[in-house]
Amino acid sequence: MTVDKTGVLVLGCAEPESLARFYAELLGATAGPAGSNGELILVTGRTGVVLGVRRDPDHLPPSWPPPEDSQQVHLRILVAADSLDEAEREAVALGARPVAAEEDGTRPDSRTTLRRYTDPAGHPFVLAAGREDLVPRSSDA
């Protein structure tokens, strides 16, 4: 028998409260401490915990895209294809920084299905058009 488990990606940064608020607002979720010491904040949506943000006073933003290495990890946020422009406006208004297609070697026409960013602490993420059955609509809430 397998023990029930939940995996969660945890991002390190110097100011976890503000980064957790960024992702909570971007994902339409809530953010709150995982324990009493405030070192880990969990971002929780309708389906449960979606992301953790951990205090790391020595955090250095990752380099993305690194010219000599392959990308190791990023957060992929799925949105309906017809909402990609609106999701991009929301992300940028919250503090996301776009990564230009010329910088990361992608084709210019890929912006129709994928947009690359760094969050306010420098972690890479993408907004990507996802299958309709995987993307919750506000009418589903």
Side-chain angles (χ1 to χ4, degrees), residues 3 14 25 38 64 72 77 88 97 102 127:
V3 174
E25 289 183 39
W64 189 51
Q72 297 300 309
I77 300 171
E88 178 173 46
R97 292 180 299 276
E102 307 82 59
L127 295 173

Side-chain angles (χ1 to χ4, degrees), residues 4-29:
D4 290 338
K5 299 171 192 72
T6 298
V8 61
L9 176 67
V10 176
L11 302 175
C13 67
E15 299 178 19
E17 299 83 4
S18 62
L19 190 61
R21 276 193 305 275
F22 167 81
Y23 278 110
E25 289 183 39
L26 183 63
L27 298 171

Side-chain angles (χ1 to χ4, degrees), residues 10-16 19 38-41 52-57:
V10 176
L11 302 175
C13 67
E15 299 178 19
L19 190 61
E39 293 299 306
L40 177 65
I41 299 173
V53 183
R54 171 188 159 281
R55 185 175 311 281
D56 178 0

Side-chain angles (χ1 to χ4, degrees), residues 79-85 112-113 115 128-130 132 135 137:
V79 299
D82 62 352
S83 298
L84 201 52
D85 289 339
T112 60
T113 59
R115 315 276 170 91
E132 293 297 320
V135 179
R137 292 289 198 159

Side-chain angles (χ1 to χ4, degrees), residues 20 37 47 49 66 69 84 100 102-103 106 115 122 124 128 139 141:
N37 68 4
T47 60
V49 176
D69 297 326
L84 201 52
E102 307 82 59
E103 293 176 13
T106 59
R115 315 276 170 91
S139 60

